[in-house]
Amino acid sequence: MYTETVEITGHFIDSLLLPKILDDVVGHDTEFDIERLDVGKRQQDPSYARIRLTAKDADTLERVLRRIRRHGAVLVNEEDCGIETADKDGVFPDGFYSTTNQRTEIRIDGRWVAVDKPEMDCGIRVSPDRKRGECAPISEIRAGDLIVVGHRGVKVEPARKPSKEDAFGFMSSDVSTEKPKGAIVRNIADCFRDVKYRGQKILVVAGPAVVHTGAAGHFVRLIESGYVNMLFAGNALAVHDIEYALFGTSLGVYLDRGMPAEHGHENHMRAINIIRGHGGIRPAVERGALTQGIMHACVSHGVPFLLAGSIRDDGPLPEVITDVIEAQRKMREMIDGVGVALMIATMLHSIAVGNLLPSTVRTICVDINPSVVTKLADRGSFQAHGVVTDVESFLRELCGELGLLVR
Amino acid sequence: MYTETVEITGHFIDSLLLPKILDDVVGHDTEFDIERLDVGKRQQDPSYARIRLTAKDADTLERVLRRIRRHGAVLVNEEDCGIETADKDGVFPDGFYSTTNQRTEIRIDGRWVAVDKPEMDCGIRVSPDRKRGECAPISEIRAGDLIVVGHRGVKVEPARKPSKEDAFGFMSSDVSTEKPKGAIVRNIADCFRDVKYRGQKILVVAGPAVVHTGAAGHFVRLIESGYVNMLFAGNALAVHDIEYALFGTSLGVYLDRGMPAEHGHENHMRAINIIRGHGGIRPAVERGALTQGIMHACVSHGVPFLLAGSIRDDGPLPEVITDVIEAQRKMREMIDGVGVALMIATMLHSIAVGNLLPSTVRTICVDINPSVVTKLADRGSFQAHGVVTDVESFLRELCGELGLLVR
Amino acid sequence: MYTETVEITGHFIDSLLLPKILDDVVGHDTEFDIERLDVGKRQQDPSYARIRLTAKDADTLERVLRRIRRHGAVLVNEEDCGIETADKDGVFPDGFYSTTNQRTEIRIDGRWVAVDKPEMDCGIRVSPDRKRGECAPISEIRAGDLIVVGHRGVKVEPARKPSKEDAFGFMSSDVSTEKPKGAIVRNIADCFRDVKYRGQKILVVAGPAVVHTGAAGHFVRLIESGYVNMLFAGNALAVHDIEYALFGTSLGVYLDRGMPAEHGHENHMRAINIIRGHGGIRPAVERGALTQGIMHACVSHGVPFLLAGSIRDDGPLPEVITDVIEAQRKMREMIDGVGVALMIATMLHSIAVGNLLPSTVRTICVDINPSVVTKLADRGSFQAHGVVTDVESFLRELCGELGLLVR
Amino acid sequence: MYTETVEITGHFIDSLLLPKILDDVVGHDTEFDIERLDVGKRQQDPSYARIRLTAKDADTLERVLRRIRRHGAVLVNEEDCGIETADKDGVFPDGFYSTTNQRTEIRIDGRWVAVDKPEMDCGIRVSPDRKRGECAPISEIRAGDLIVVGHRGVKVEPARKPSKEDAFGFMSSDVSTEKPKGAIVRNIADCFRDVKYRGQKILVVAGPAVVHTGAAGHFVRLIESGYVNMLFAGNALAVHDIEYALFGTSLGVYLDRGMPAEHGHENHMRAINIIRGHGGIRPAVERGALTQGIMHACVSHGVPFLLAGSIRDDGPLPEVITDVIEAQRKMREMIDGVGVALMIATMLHSIAVGNLLPSTVRTICVDINPSVVTKLADRGSFQAHGVVTDVESFLRELCGELGLLVR
């Protein structure tokens, strides 16, 4: 029989982690003996458990250990993490540790070191002086980089479950269209104020339906009032925003009257042509050719924006980063300091940005289509809260809750 | 060769009926000769066409005739309609004419007579004196009733296509979530005012999501201001409205805070029990036990309501008509004089009521789920306009457009 | 300070019940002291916990107690349950205990007695001799009935979480369209065989899309092979099945060619008229007027069926129970002995039947629309497993897995 | 009063074009006089109309003319098209003619010349010798290019409506989940055989759900049997296909058992790492490291594939074209000769490819989510037919209809 002893510390009772660990253990032909269990008597008290595991062979035990590490368990006598050198650019060593977006520590030279830039589906690159570690995507790996392999010496601190008082907890419970939206919008407004107060940034990821549904004006108010510190979008949001600014239409439909314009389907191409003629959005604003709308507001209020390309883009506008890996790289650079990410009406960009964010960044996904939110959660953005509602109404109400007059 | 000559009068050019007729003709092995075609020179002018049809056998010709009658064609020398007597209660004679919900006339004793109470999937019952005809559902047929059979002597006047200036025309073009809602809501508000001005009635068909999403207050405002003249709903709308009035929750969730109440899932059963204890909604209002909400507003403002039962009902409340055929009968009685029907967040009741309405009643279907609107259209309610949006926002904005303050 | 001691026995570790209880306790201003905790060492071993609760007032303590009883906790010194007499027909006494669909026991004269006919949203009616209890819906209550009130003396045994080996566990994890269906269908086939082997019944609840999508033949095979022991449906399923049997169309579309029939929209009314002429489905089968299809197979193979009315019904067919409360009553009588319920393509009937079933009946909900499954779960049918897929393909593959040749 | 005379030739009666033209005319304050109308007597006969338009000012008349040209009307005395020179790279001259994806001709030096490479949202670039024209996307424009401006001298030949016998006509009528799929799949199989017979190519655009739902084997059969001549996809399809080939999982779920693999969520990253280690998919196949699956089948059967990047890509695989404009360029080169495009389970790639295809390429879009098909149609791919069904079942049945054994 093979035996190892693990320990777990923290709020593992109310996080349901202990049962998950025991479940994993008994579900994999391994017996456990709870050698010690100190349950915190009050909600704020941490708990401690020490559990001896016994399996009939080393492989089974190894598999169980690897599994329960995801829930925060570590060996009582943990070793240093394994480190190997990458042979080629863009390729991890075999057996590389594949990251989650949770807070993670690695043990180097007997010390636990926090891993920087938490991001899922990356490897952990160790600094040449072996003092620090950071998540690095495969495309950034260079031959010679030091990469963590195996699972020994890696400790994950799973995200705490939101507390009962937190309306976000209820929001995230399931994706239903039959919920009162008022309270949810109030919570998001509180969250925005709180993030601003703490000096963190509000990132908005938005799709063109923001314009199509007539919500551009609300969005502009949020920008002007400092509630958008960064905008990630695609070519389409910018194109239709500029189409609306120049022609009053979005996808050829007059937004004020809800009627199609004559030859309106051409307007977005004419908008693209005009901006390309000026050399870009910024020059068009500076020369007075673009005087309103979301993109104008970003330029005039100094809100950095990133437009990432997609294969369905028309044009595109000059600012669009057409290389998607380059766009990911830029987004990674920009997200430092983000406290909350609001994702509106865009599945592609929501999932892309969700993949980059650490689990500690609160993520709110608003879409009229429930499957968008479901897909986001399916891909591991556990911290995502879904709101299934009309985009225009949502932004109008959010402005209202934040005390902004909507013109 | 067999030959017949048909004529068609009206706006068949812009209604696209002529092409449909010619299409049906050539698609069924029949040749046509347009003997005369007078196209109206201006939009308001009617057109006239006389077309001779030639087929190689009588059956083919008959089939084509039956088909193009649906588009308004009639024989130049039309005969009287066929009439047979029903043998049994609840059973039509074989070969009964199955109705559409369009305006229809029948030819009796050489005169064209309008058919009353247009409704789809009915038969046409002729009065004993053979002076009038009306649509009658199969369950209402009694032995001895005179019923129209065959298709000769029946003329359908297809609904006109809405004109270009009509934003409803655009709305109905397809069911998209990416349309500006503002203009649509304005149109609906105009339509409501217009219906009121003309002395017609506004019928609202509503599902419980009106309450769940926190829109009950908006709905009450519409009732108080005379914009709801009749309410059709199920047990669930009334139960959750009363649950909210008595406990502040809907499906156990506090609507103001968006948080579940303790044991809140029991609240709807307690609400039902209380109303059953009082003997009904009306007595509960009269005794002061129910003092707010949608049902309270209906009772206190004299707005008639009909609650139709379904097999998923808890309780039900005493006013619920548990026999579905009886409920249909009551709805048929009540819909006379309805000018517009607004259907909110209920597939079952929307389709049920849509089946009863003549094609001349404008029908607006609001749901966050696009498939509800699609299904309504699939079942033949051609006059239905779909709005895919959040129910709460829709009702709030509708109140706003109607100048009602939302508390 | 007020104090009570509760105990909990069973598989509360892997059911995550202990954390839920502790969470409820600390979340409601109450402190706990785990006086004893014996964790089962192996998966099959039950665990035991005794917990002392301390709150600053009696109300708080009472509220916590009421709450944690839902998770299986009982007082160490539990009293008998409260019992009151109903004053009026169809009305519970105030403070009635509102049931879940879980296994429940009540304490009468010091003994724990199982509550029969578990069903959610009912009351518990105690037999006049006070020896037994059963769930009773509000509409069945008669003046003089003995009804349990309050929550003391009531013990709930929450359903066990499915084990790891159980693919249903994974299925139910979330409602995704992006899952391999093959393994799921195999599991359902195994479940059907198992239920049959154990002598329990297979209930199928089906909507008309079974016919529209061309799956009637597969369904007939299931009936002929003994895999459908009971059918619950609405008028529409039977009407379109008979329309298809008589005319080859469903909703007017030829199912073999996928093309609309001429005047096909009338076919369902002609089918209804024919069956009404015969006095019902059974007489029509007996006289040889209906010779194929689902309803024919039910009649000829002695499979009981229940057709429940809804307000959108055309006709209806004579066998349809038009009173919805009467239909619920009949369904309650019939579901005794059901081991698995397969719900296909019908939201209304799925939720209605789901509301009646105890939590121990495995429920499988198949629909192409994810929101149907979500709604079913929202309403408390925790035992429901969702499969989002095409109905026709599902039934064909199910036949295949069960070794039935599909003609 | 200003007057112009237009003519229209072809099947404009059954294409409903004449009514649309007259509608546009009277809807824009213009009167018409049908000077001549020769209606084809049989379905195959073309019709001819000459219509004089009269408006009160030149602008109105111009607007009407521009509008009705979209429906195939041309001036009786048409002029040559306007041509201007582009000033800058990547920018059209003001007033450029914005293309549809319909067959288009331009009049140069008195002759009508067909425009090559029909594609929507492009400009028309005229060859330096002014003998030919072709659609060119804005990003391909170079200073000095000759570009068509205005709408004079441009003739559009709108696509004919599919004939009655064509089941695709019915399919495309609306996007319903309640249709018989058997006949539709048979039609698609016939279409595939027909395209193959005519020597055209079958393009498949596929998303990763093809793999997730367990349909990779069916897809491989199609490739092996010559029914896929070209594959357009994203990184995700290839990654999950290779994950499945190497580990038996897709998104970490064992497809045969429908159960999650241990650490399965890491498998796709390990798959990416292995392929990157080999330098690409092709080398991995050549070295025997990748021996099965969709990508393997493409490589071994010489089926060209294009993997276009998106910002949500992990890795990506070496063959992925990460620059989206470069990917569009490659797709444009490759689509020449495509007779049918089958788009499965990918909104992004479906819309991207749909934007590039001329209206003459039959496009079939298969997805379990109705909104994907709706969105495709919203963006102007009028020739798209939607099938709402489960992807795995669809591909299995398609293989069956094509006589391919599914292993």
Side-chain angles (χ1 to χ4, degrees), chain A residues 164 167 170 177-181 183 186 212-213 253 255-260 368 388-390 393 396-397, chain B residues 164 167 170 177-181 183 186 212-213 253 255-260 368 388-390 393 396-397:
Chain A
K164 263 293 149 54
F170 178 61
T177 56
E178 297 197 342
K179 285 189 178 163
K181 300 300 181 310
R186 264 198 309 283
H212 301 330
T213 58
V253 175
L255 294 184
D256 54 348
R257 288 176 287 151
M259 304 273 294
I368 202 167
V388 179
T389 190
D390 188 71
S393 317
R396 184 146 38 83
E397 289 165 43
Chain B
K164 265 291 149 59
F170 177 62
T177 55
E178 297 196 343
K179 286 190 176 162
K181 302 300 182 310
R186 265 199 308 283
H212 300 331
T213 58
V253 175
L255 294 184
D256 53 348
R257 288 176 286 150
M259 303 273 294
I368 202 168
V388 178
T389 190
D390 188 69
S393 318
R396 184 146 38 83
E397 288 164 44

Side-chain angles (χ1 to χ4, degrees), chain D residues 76-365:
Chain D
V76 168
N77 303 306
E78 191 72 52
E79 308 162 22
D80 273 8
C81 64
I83 296 178
E84 288 187 15
T85 303
D87 282 343
K88 295 189 194 177
D89 285 3
V91 184
F92 291 125
D94 282 357
F96 67 99
Y97 179 88
S98 179
T99 61
T100 64
N101 62 1
Q102 317 248 33
R103 287 184 53 172
T104 302
E105 296 185 359
I106 51 177
R107 196 171 182 279
I108 314 185
D109 298 334
R111 289 181 315 109
W112 286 104
V113 179
V115 174
D116 291 336
K117 304 185 186 170
E119 179 182 335
M120 73 174 91
D121 293 331
C122 288
I124 300 176
R125 179 164 51 193
V126 175
S127 61
D129 62 3
R130 296 181 174 242
K131 301 277 190 221
R132 292 169 300 111
E134 64 172 13
C135 288
I138 193 168
S139 55
E140 302 292 328
I141 298 306
R142 295 294 161 261
D145 281 354
L146 302 176
I147 306 293
V148 173
V149 295
H151 57 96
R152 300 248 160 180
V154 182
K155 183 161 72 178
V156 172
E157 189 178 316
R160 289 204 54 191
K161 150 178 115 75
S163 92
K164 263 293 148 56
E165 283 72 41
D166 185 346
F168 282 108
F170 178 61
M171 270 169 63
S172 62
S173 65
D174 73 90
V175 176
S176 166
T177 56
E178 297 197 341
K179 285 189 177 163
K181 301 299 182 310
I184 291 172
V185 175
R186 263 199 308 285
N187 271 284
I188 295 173
D190 286 345
C191 173
F192 270 34
R193 274 188 286 254
D194 182 51
V195 163
K196 230 178 144 175
Y197 174 81
R198 284 186 280 128
Q200 292 180 317
K201 290 177 197 157
I202 299 169
L203 163 64
V204 179
V205 184
V210 169
V211 181
H212 301 330
T213 59
H218 315 327
F219 200 87
V220 167
R221 279 307 266 161
L222 289 173
I223 294 171
E224 292 172 346
S225 309
Y227 284 109
V228 179
N229 304 120
M230 207 181 295
L231 171 65
F232 288 180
N235 184 60
L237 172 90
V239 165
H240 293 294
D241 171 62
I242 294 168
E243 176 194 343
Y244 178 48
L246 298 180
F247 301 106
T249 62
S250 183
L251 264 182
V253 176
Y254 282 122
L255 293 183
D256 54 348
R257 288 176 286 150
M259 304 272 294
E262 279 187 78
H263 308 286
H265 58 279
E266 301 176 6
N267 287 354
H268 78 283
M269 289 310 301
R270 302 206 180 279
I272 292 169
N273 199 51
I274 288 167
I275 300 298
R276 288 176 72 105
H278 284 286
I281 298 170
R282 183 173 299 276
V285 170
E286 286 164 358
R287 296 178 188 178
L290 181 64
T291 60
Q292 55 182 321
I294 296 171
M295 299 317 298
H296 169 264
C298 284
V299 171
S300 30
H301 288 79
V303 171
F305 61 87
L306 180 146
L307 303 178
S310 97
I311 51 163
R312 56 188 266 199
D313 290 347
D314 287 314
L317 295 170
E319 274 90 346
V320 170
I321 301 174
T322 59
D323 187 282
V324 293
I325 299 303
E326 176 63 20
Q328 288 181 351
R329 192 176 294 129
K330 281 269 167 56
M331 290 195 287
R332 275 190 191 97
E333 284 171 27
M334 291 172 76
I335 57 175
D336 188 43
V338 166
V340 63
L342 174 65
M343 294 160 168
I344 318 177
T346 166
M347 186 155 72
L348 174 64
H349 293 262
S350 294
I351 294 176
V353 177
N355 285 349
L356 302 181
L357 293 173
S359 69
T360 47
V361 174
R362 182 151 270 174
T363 305
I364 300 153
C365 178

Side-chain angles (χ1 to χ4, degrees), chain C residues 88-135:
Chain C
K88 295 190 194 177
D89 285 3
V91 184
F92 291 125
D94 283 358
F96 67 98
Y97 179 87
S98 180
T99 61
T100 64
N101 62 1
Q102 317 247 34
R103 287 185 53 174
T104 302
E105 296 184 2
I106 51 176
R107 195 171 183 280
I108 314 184
D109 298 333
R111 290 183 313 111
W112 286 103
V113 179
V115 174
D116 291 337
K117 304 183 185 170
E119 180 181 336
M120 74 173 89
D121 292 331
C122 288
I124 300 176
R125 178 161 55 193
V126 176
S127 62
D129 63 2
R130 296 179 176 246
K131 301 279 191 222
R132 291 168 301 113
E134 63 172 15
C135 287

Side-chain angles (χ1 to χ4, degrees), chain A residues 300-363:
Chain A
S300 30
H301 288 78
V303 171
F305 59 87
L306 180 145
L307 303 178
S310 96
I311 51 164
R312 55 188 269 197
D313 289 349
D314 287 314
L317 295 171
E319 275 89 347
V320 170
I321 301 175
T322 60
D323 187 282
V324 293
I325 299 302
E326 176 63 19
Q328 287 180 352
R329 192 175 296 128
K330 280 268 168 55
M331 291 195 287
R332 275 191 191 96
E333 284 171 27
M334 292 172 75
I335 57 175
D336 189 43
V338 166
V340 63
L342 175 64
M343 293 161 169
I344 318 178
T346 167
M347 186 155 72
L348 174 65
H349 292 261
S350 294
I351 293 177
V353 177
N355 285 349
L356 301 181
L357 293 173
S359 68
T360 46
V361 174
R362 183 152 269 177
T363 305

Side-chain angles (χ1 to χ4, degrees), chain D residues 35-110:
Chain D
E35 296 187 336
R36 194 166 148 201
L37 174 60
D38 305 333
V39 177
K41 293 290 158 80
R42 281 166 304 271
Q43 203 167 17
Q44 62 271 33
D45 300 342
S47 301
Y48 173 84
R50 194 170 64 229
I51 306 168
R52 202 182 56 222
L53 307 176
T54 311
K56 60 178 188 305
D57 56 60
D59 274 8
T60 301
L61 195 54
E62 197 64 20
R63 221 163 46 230
V64 166
L65 280 177
R66 192 174 159 201
R67 199 163 177 102
I68 66 179
R69 284 169 185 284
R70 296 274 169 181
H71 304 313
V74 279
L75 286 175
V76 168
N77 303 306
E78 191 72 52
E79 308 162 22
D80 273 8
C81 64
I83 296 178
E84 288 187 15
T85 303
D87 282 343
K88 295 189 194 177
D89 285 3
V91 184
F92 291 125
D94 282 357
F96 67 99
Y97 179 88
S98 179
T99 61
T100 64
N101 62 1
Q102 317 248 33
R103 287 184 53 172
T104 302
E105 296 185 359
I106 51 177
R107 196 171 182 279
I108 314 185
D109 298 334

